[in-house]
């Protein structure tokens, strides 16, 4: 059922995975369900990808930050260069959802560089999502990283040819400014 051709059936199954994982434990999840959950991040249906990213957050809550850092983050990072921009966007969303569950070092040195690197993507939707998602990282990484990494990225995005990218970069810069005070 988890791979049914009808997306609504897949969606119904996916929503039960965190509960199932909590009942059956981390070892069972890693062995039997982990690959399936990562596969949903690349589903052709947006609703499936969206629920799959929310599941990752729920799984990180259930199994803890060490497990998320060891099992989820590396797997998601391996999908960051996917040729499909929708899948790259899903990766960015998943990373931003996991960022609060990993330690500051992993957040700052592993996840954030991937998110900020996506600001160079050729697709405007990726770039404005980078601008939106940086706001998640501002309270997690500390003011030094905000000033040395996030702000310069947002300054570059604020002069992008795309008006939506400029708008969201401007909004995120306002959040950076508010955190200075």
């Amino acid at each position: 059922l988890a791979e049914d051709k009808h997306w609504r059936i897949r969606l119904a199954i996916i929503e039960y995975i965190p509960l199932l994982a909590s009942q059956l434990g981390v070892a069972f999840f890693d062995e039997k369900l982990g690959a399936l959950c990562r596969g949903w991040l690349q589903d052709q249906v947006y609703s499936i990808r969206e629920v799959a990213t929310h599941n990752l957050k729920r799984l990180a809550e259930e199994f803890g930050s060490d497990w998320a850092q060891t099992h989820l983050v590396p797997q998601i990072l391996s999908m960051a260069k996917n040729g499909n921009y929708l899948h790259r966007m899903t990766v960015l969303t998943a990373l931003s959802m996991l960022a609060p569950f990993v330690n500051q070092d992993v957040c700052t040195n592993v996840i954030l560089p991937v998110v900020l690197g996506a600001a160079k993507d050729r697709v405007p939707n990726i770039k404005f999502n980078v601008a939106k998602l940086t706001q998640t990282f501002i309270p997690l990484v500390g003011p030094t990283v905000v000033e040395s990494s996030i702000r310069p990225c947002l300054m570059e995005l604020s002069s992008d040819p795309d008006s939506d990218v400029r708008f969201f970069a401007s909004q995120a810069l306002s959040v950076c400014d508010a955190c200075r005070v």
Side-chain angles (χ1 to χ4, degrees):
L1 290 176
E3 295 174 336
D4 195 279
K5 65 179 181 169
H6 300 291
W7 70 269
R8 286 183 177 88
I9 292 173
R10 290 195 311 273
L11 186 65
I13 298 301
I14 292 168
E15 290 174 337
Y16 285 104
I17 291 297
L19 177 62
L20 185 63
S22 70
Q23 298 297 313
L24 298 174
V26 72
F28 181 86
F29 177 83
D30 287 341
E31 183 182 330
K32 306 282 186 191
L33 301 175
L36 191 59
C37 286
R38 288 186 301 276
W40 289 325
L41 293 173
Q42 296 182 7
D43 197 277
Q44 62 186 1
V45 177
Y46 171 76
S47 295
I48 301 293
R49 294 190 308 269
E50 180 183 35
V51 171
T53 59
H54 288 284
N55 274 359
L56 296 179
K57 177 185 170 195
R58 291 171 59 198
L59 290 166
E61 289 170 343
E62 178 68 33
F63 294 147
S65 100
D66 289 340
W67 178 84
Q69 290 173 192
T70 307
H71 291 89
L72 292 180
V73 173
Q75 297 294 329
I76 294 167
L77 290 174
S78 71
M79 298 182 230
K81 299 291 184 192
N82 190 299
N84 185 326
Y85 88 94
L86 296 171
H87 297 168
R88 293 193 305 274
M89 200 153 24
T90 301
V91 166
L92 294 175
T93 303
L95 290 172
S96 73
M97 287 189 164
L98 290 175
F101 296 98
V102 299
N103 68 45
Q104 187 175 15
D105 183 56
V106 171
C107 185
T108 303
N109 299 315
V110 179
I111 295 176
L112 184 62
V114 172
V115 173
L116 296 179
K120 305 271 189 225
D121 201 285
R122 62 186 176 3
V123 178
N125 284 19
I126 296 287
K127 293 190 281 189
F128 79 64
N129 273 286
V130 167
K132 288 166 61 174
L133 295 173
T134 55
Q135 296 175 55
T136 303
F137 291 90
I138 291 170
L140 300 174
V141 297
T144 305
V145 175
V146 170
E147 293 303 318
S148 65
S149 299
I150 294 176
R151 183 179 294 282
C153 176
L154 292 172
M155 292 299 292
E156 188 175 322
L157 289 175
S158 69
S159 61
D160 192 86
D162 187 271
S163 62
D164 290 331
V165 174
R166 289 192 309 270
F167 172 78
F168 287 110
S170 170
Q171 272 193 325
L173 281 168
S174 295
V175 173
C176 286
D177 293 340
C179 290
R180 277 183 169 171
V181 178

